């Protein structure tokens, strides 16, 4: 689909997430997938040409099956080698308060607290914000595996190949699944030898 010029924005291949979100806010795209943050931003920034015209919904799914969730997670962390751990911790405590989360949302960011999702003032400003909870109902936790960084790298490569080549998606997915299985088997073998 991303290679079909009649279906996607003509600059889709060149867009990063910010450029895609701004194109949406400027009214250059009628629909965006997995861009809740930009949908909410387009309700609060002055430059938006689509304010009041946006709604969100879950992804379509087969009858009898749950919809997919395309959530992206950001983590606040303090590196073990941080020279300013106390300052970093103080910032984390400040940044994750209900007040800061709400402020982040009113300024065009995306609040992560349920209190923000359900806040009456936020839902007046961004009428669909309460739907974030529904979008998270089928979210799964990322796999707890030591090979996850390599799996994420393989997924990124597959997406880029889908954008940059004409290789059918079915083949790309099969190749990536095969590489993931090989990684997984290598890790199991390595663990057995180590023990």
């Amino acid at each position: 689909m991303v290679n079909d010029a009649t279906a996607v924005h003509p600059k889709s291949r060149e867009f990063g997430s910010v450029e895609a979100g701004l194109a949406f806010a400027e009214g250059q795209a009628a629909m965006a997938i997995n861009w809740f943050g930009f949908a909410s931003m387009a309700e609060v920034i002055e430059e938006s040409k689509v304010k009041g015209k946006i709604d969100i919904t879950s992804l379509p799914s087969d009858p009898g099956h749950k919809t997919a969730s395309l959530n992206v997670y950001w983590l606040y962390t303090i590196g073990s080698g941080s020279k300013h751990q106390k300052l970093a911790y103080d910032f984390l405590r400040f940044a994750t308060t209900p007040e800061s989360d709400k402020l982040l949302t009113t300024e065009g960011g995306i609040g992560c607290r349920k209190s923000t999702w359900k806040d009456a003032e936020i839902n007046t400003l961004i009428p669909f914000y309460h739907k974030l909870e529904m979008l998270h109902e089928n979210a799964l936790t990322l796999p707890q595996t030591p090979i996850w960084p390599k799996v994420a790298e393989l997924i990124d490569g597959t997406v880029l190949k889908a954008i940059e080549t004409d290789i059918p998606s079915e083949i790309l997915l099969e190749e990536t699944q095969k590489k993931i299985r090989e990684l997984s088997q290598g890790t199991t073998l390595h663990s057995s030898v180590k023990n």
Side-chain angles (χ1 to χ4, degrees):
M1 187 174 164
V2 76
N3 292 318
D4 182 350
T6 65
V8 297
H9 192 287
K11 293 186 179 176
S12 288
R13 286 175 178 246
E14 303 158 32
F15 281 161
S17 64
V18 173
E19 293 87 359
L22 292 174
F24 177 79
E26 290 169 5
Q28 297 177 24
M31 181 174 66
I33 297 173
N34 195 33
W35 248 252
F36 186 94
F38 287 112
S40 61
M41 179 199 73
E43 288 289 345
V44 298
I45 62 170
E46 289 182 32
E47 303 85 354
S48 176
K49 295 180 180 160
V50 295
K51 193 180 296 189
K53 300 176 183 176
I54 304 166
D55 199 0
I56 60 116
T57 190
S58 56
L59 292 170
S61 62
D62 288 336
H65 291 84
K66 292 180 179 178
T67 183
S69 177
L70 298 175
N71 292 315
V72 176
Y73 296 91
W74 293 268
L75 300 173
Y76 283 121
T77 61
I78 302 172
S80 60
S82 172
K83 294 178 181 161
H84 305 284
Q85 289 184 359
K86 168 111 174 53
L87 180 62
Y89 183 69
D90 288 345
F91 170 76
L92 293 183
R93 289 183 63 209
F94 165 78
T96 57
T97 63
E99 299 79 19
S100 293
D101 199 63
K102 184 174 174 178
L103 178 61
L104 173 72
T105 304
T106 61
E107 293 296 319
I110 184 164
C112 298
R113 296 181 67 99
K114 285 188 176 184
S115 60
T116 302
W117 301 354
K118 295 177 180 187
D119 186 274
E121 184 182 345
I122 293 294
N123 279 281
T124 299
L125 182 65
I126 307 167
F128 50 81
Y129 215 82
H130 65 280
K131 293 182 181 180
L132 254 176
E133 190 164 14
M134 174 264 301
L135 293 177
H136 283 78
E137 284 175 356
N138 298 313
L140 301 175
T141 302
L142 291 174
Q144 300 295 310
T145 172
I147 65 166
W148 177 248
K150 291 185 182 294
V151 171
E153 190 177 318
L154 287 171
I155 293 169
D156 286 347
T158 301
V159 171
L160 289 174
K161 283 182 188 175
I163 294 169
E164 297 168 355
T165 72
D166 291 328
I167 302 171
S169 297
E170 186 176 11
I171 292 172
L172 289 173
L173 291 172
E174 285 173 9
E175 289 174 355
T176 304
Q177 285 292 345
K178 182 180 176 196
K179 290 175 184 174
I180 291 170
R181 279 191 299 275
E182 289 169 359
L183 270 175
S184 182
Q185 290 167 352
T187 301
T188 304
L189 178 63
H190 180 70
S191 295
S192 297
V193 171
K194 204 173 174 182
N195 292 333

